[in-house]
Protein backbone atom coordinates (compact mmCIF):
# COMPACT_ATOMS: atom_id res chain seq x y z
CA UNK A 1 0.00 0.00 0.00
CA UNK A 2 1.24 3.45 -0.88
CA UNK A 3 0.57 5.67 2.15
CA UNK A 4 1.30 8.77 0.06
CA UNK A 5 -2.17 8.32 -1.50
CA UNK A 6 -3.80 8.96 1.86
CA UNK A 7 -4.71 12.53 2.74
CA UNK A 8 -4.44 13.75 6.31
CA UNK A 9 -8.20 13.32 6.83
CA UNK A 10 -7.98 9.76 5.48
CA UNK A 11 -5.15 8.97 7.88
CA UNK A 12 -7.15 10.37 10.79
CA UNK A 13 -10.20 8.28 9.89
CA UNK A 14 -8.26 5.09 9.19
CA UNK A 15 -6.08 5.47 12.27
CA UNK A 16 -9.11 6.26 14.41
CA UNK A 17 -10.83 3.08 13.22
CA UNK A 18 -7.79 0.97 14.07
CA UNK A 19 -7.38 2.64 17.47
CA UNK A 20 -11.12 2.13 18.18
CA UNK A 21 -10.71 -1.58 17.56
CA UNK A 22 -7.63 -1.72 19.80
CA UNK A 23 -9.55 0.21 22.47
CA UNK A 24 -12.29 -2.41 22.36
CA UNK A 25 -9.79 -4.98 23.64
CA UNK A 26 -8.47 -2.78 26.47
CA UNK A 27 -10.29 -2.58 29.84
CA UNK A 28 -13.34 -0.28 29.74
CA UNK A 29 -14.34 -0.83 33.35
CA UNK A 30 -12.17 -2.09 36.16
CA UNK A 31 -12.91 -2.99 39.75
CA UNK A 32 -10.46 -3.07 42.63
CA UNK A 33 -11.43 -5.00 45.73
CA UNK A 34 -8.14 -4.30 47.49
CA UNK A 35 -7.13 -7.95 47.20
CA UNK A 36 -6.95 -10.55 44.45
CA UNK A 37 -9.83 -12.95 44.01
CA UNK A 38 -8.78 -16.16 42.25
CA UNK A 39 -10.84 -16.82 39.15
CA UNK A 40 -12.57 -13.41 39.24
CA UNK A 41 -11.92 -10.99 36.38
CA UNK A 42 -11.75 -7.45 37.70
CA UNK A 43 -11.91 -5.68 34.34
CA UNK A 44 -14.36 -5.61 31.44
CA UNK A 45 -13.51 -4.75 27.84
CA UNK A 46 -15.92 -3.48 25.17
CA UNK A 47 -16.80 -7.01 24.09
CA UNK A 48 -18.17 -7.68 27.59
CA UNK A 49 -19.56 -4.19 28.24
CA UNK A 50 -22.58 -4.51 25.99
CA UNK A 51 -23.83 -3.96 22.47
CA UNK A 52 -23.27 -0.19 22.35
CA UNK A 53 -19.62 -0.60 23.31
CA UNK A 54 -18.51 -3.25 20.86
CA UNK A 55 -20.78 -2.24 17.98
CA UNK A 56 -19.69 1.39 18.27
CA UNK A 57 -16.06 0.33 17.92
CA UNK A 58 -16.88 -1.95 14.98
CA UNK A 59 -18.69 0.88 13.19
CA UNK A 60 -15.65 3.12 13.60
CA UNK A 61 -13.41 0.34 12.27
CA UNK A 62 -15.75 -0.14 9.27
CA UNK A 63 -15.64 3.59 8.55
CA UNK A 64 -11.85 3.57 8.66
CA UNK A 65 -11.72 0.58 6.32
CA UNK A 66 -14.09 2.30 3.86
CA UNK A 67 -11.86 5.38 3.77
CA UNK A 68 -8.69 3.30 3.34
CA UNK A 69 -10.21 1.21 0.53
CA UNK A 70 -11.32 4.33 -1.33
CA UNK A 71 -7.91 5.94 -0.92
CA UNK A 72 -6.27 2.82 -2.37
CA UNK A 73 -8.70 2.88 -5.30
CA UNK A 74 -10.13 -0.52 -4.45
CA UNK A 75 -13.70 0.42 -3.47
CA UNK A 76 -16.08 3.34 -3.90
CA UNK A 77 -19.28 3.38 -1.84
CA UNK A 78 -22.28 5.31 -3.12
CA UNK A 79 -25.26 4.93 -0.82
CA UNK A 80 -28.39 7.06 -1.25
CA UNK A 81 -26.39 9.64 -3.18
CA UNK A 82 -23.74 9.96 -0.48
CA UNK A 83 -20.03 9.69 -1.22
CA UNK A 84 -17.70 7.28 0.58
CA UNK A 85 -16.52 9.95 3.03
CA UNK A 86 -20.10 10.81 3.94
CA UNK A 87 -21.01 7.15 4.48
CA UNK A 88 -17.90 6.71 6.63
CA UNK A 89 -18.72 9.83 8.66
CA UNK A 90 -22.26 8.55 9.21
CA UNK A 91 -21.02 5.12 10.35
CA UNK A 92 -18.36 6.59 12.63
CA UNK A 93 -20.76 9.21 13.98
CA UNK A 94 -23.23 6.48 14.91
CA UNK A 95 -20.37 4.54 16.49
CA UNK A 96 -19.39 7.59 18.51
CA UNK A 97 -22.98 8.09 19.70
CA UNK A 98 -23.18 4.44 20.78
CA UNK A 99 -19.91 4.68 22.73
CA UNK A 100 -21.09 7.91 24.40
CA UNK A 101 -24.37 6.23 25.34
CA UNK A 102 -22.45 3.30 26.83
CA UNK A 103 -20.36 5.74 28.84
CA UNK A 104 -23.41 7.71 30.04
CA UNK A 105 -25.23 4.57 31.18
CA UNK A 106 -22.32 3.46 33.38
CA UNK A 107 -19.97 6.22 34.49
CA UNK A 108 -18.34 4.58 37.50
CA UNK A 109 -15.17 2.46 37.46
CA UNK A 110 -14.27 3.55 33.93
CA UNK A 111 -10.86 2.62 32.54
CA UNK A 112 -8.53 3.69 29.73
CA UNK A 113 -10.21 1.65 26.98
CA UNK A 114 -13.46 3.60 27.24
CA UNK A 115 -11.74 6.97 27.02
CA UNK A 116 -9.55 5.81 24.15
CA UNK A 117 -12.66 4.45 22.41
CA UNK A 118 -14.41 7.82 22.79
CA UNK A 119 -11.45 9.69 21.32
CA UNK A 120 -10.92 7.18 18.49
CA UNK A 121 -14.55 7.06 17.39
CA UNK A 122 -14.72 10.88 17.48
CA UNK A 123 -11.55 11.12 15.38
CA UNK A 124 -12.91 8.58 12.92
CA UNK A 125 -16.11 10.62 12.55
CA UNK A 126 -14.27 13.95 12.26
CA UNK A 127 -11.64 12.76 9.78
CA UNK A 128 -13.93 12.28 6.76
CA UNK A 129 -15.79 15.53 7.47
CA UNK A 130 -12.74 17.40 6.17
CA UNK A 131 -13.44 16.01 2.69
CA UNK A 132 -17.17 15.30 2.83
CA UNK A 133 -18.23 18.90 2.20
CA UNK A 134 -19.93 18.92 5.61
CA UNK A 135 -18.16 21.20 8.08
CA UNK A 136 -17.91 19.85 11.62
CA UNK A 137 -19.35 23.13 12.94
CA UNK A 138 -22.51 22.62 10.86
CA UNK A 139 -22.77 19.02 12.10
CA UNK A 140 -22.43 20.17 15.73
CA UNK A 141 -24.90 23.00 15.20
CA UNK A 142 -27.44 20.57 13.74
CA UNK A 143 -27.05 18.06 16.56
CA UNK A 144 -27.25 20.68 19.31
CA UNK A 145 -30.15 22.71 17.95
CA UNK A 146 -32.99 23.20 20.38
CA UNK A 147 -35.60 22.00 17.86
CA UNK A 148 -33.78 18.71 17.26
CA UNK A 149 -33.26 18.08 20.95
CA UNK A 150 -36.89 19.04 21.67
CA UNK A 151 -38.13 16.40 19.25
CA UNK A 152 -35.91 13.75 20.80
CA UNK A 153 -36.32 14.67 24.45
CA UNK A 154 -39.76 15.88 25.56
CA UNK A 155 -38.26 17.35 28.75
CA UNK A 156 -36.08 19.68 26.68
CA UNK A 157 -39.19 21.34 25.26
CA UNK A 158 -40.14 22.44 28.78
CA UNK A 159 -36.91 24.39 29.31
CA UNK A 160 -37.29 28.14 29.70
CA UNK A 161 -36.59 29.98 26.46
CA UNK A 162 -33.78 32.04 28.04
CA UNK A 163 -31.82 28.90 28.94
CA UNK A 164 -28.77 28.54 26.74
CA UNK A 165 -27.55 25.12 27.86
CA UNK A 166 -27.26 23.85 24.30
Amino acid sequence: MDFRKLSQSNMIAGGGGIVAFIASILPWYSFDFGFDLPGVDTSINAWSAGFAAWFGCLLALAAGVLIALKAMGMFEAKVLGMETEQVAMLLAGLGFVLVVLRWLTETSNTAIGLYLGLIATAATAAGPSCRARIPVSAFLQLTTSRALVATMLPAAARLPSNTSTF
Side-chain angles (χ1 to χ4, degrees):
M1 178 179 161
D2 186 11
F3 286 106
R4 289 176 282 169
K5 290 183 180 179
L6 295 173
S7 67
Q8 184 178 11
S9 62
N10 290 343
M11 285 190 244
I12 291 170
I18 292 169
V19 171
F21 183 74
I22 292 170
S24 73
I25 300 168
L26 296 174
W28 280 41
Y29 298 98
S30 62
F31 310 96
D32 185 16
F33 298 108
F35 54 90
D36 287 334
L37 295 172
V40 176
D41 190 13
T42 60
S43 67
I44 297 172
N45 62 17
W47 300 96
S48 301
F51 174 77
W54 63 263
F55 193 64
C57 290
L58 278 183
L59 285 175
L61 178 63
V65 167
L66 274 177
I67 293 292
L69 289 175
K70 182 186 179 199
M72 292 186 295
M74 297 175 68
F75 181 73
E76 176 75 28
K78 293 253 183 198
V79 178
L80 299 174
M82 293 187 294
E83 306 240 351
T84 303
E85 288 88 356
Q86 293 169 325
V87 173
M89 189 173 68
L90 185 67
L91 287 175
L94 179 59
F96 175 70
V97 168
L98 288 172
V99 172
V100 167
L101 287 174
R102 176 65 238 175
W103 176 44
L104 292 176
T105 57
E106 182 59 56
T107 59
S108 60
N109 301 317
T110 55
I112 187 70
L114 174 63
Y115 298 115
L116 190 59
L118 283 168
I119 293 168
T121 54
T124 307
S129 70
C130 299
R131 307 215 15 135
R133 298 183 195 100
I134 301 173
V136 174
S137 59
F139 179 73
L140 290 175
Q141 184 179 12
L142 174 69
T143 57
T144 58
S145 70
R146 182 180 170 89
L148 180 65
V149 173
T151 60
M152 294 184 344
L153 300 172
R158 294 190 296 267
L159 290 174
S161 60
N162 63 354
T163 304
S164 60
T165 57
F166 299 111

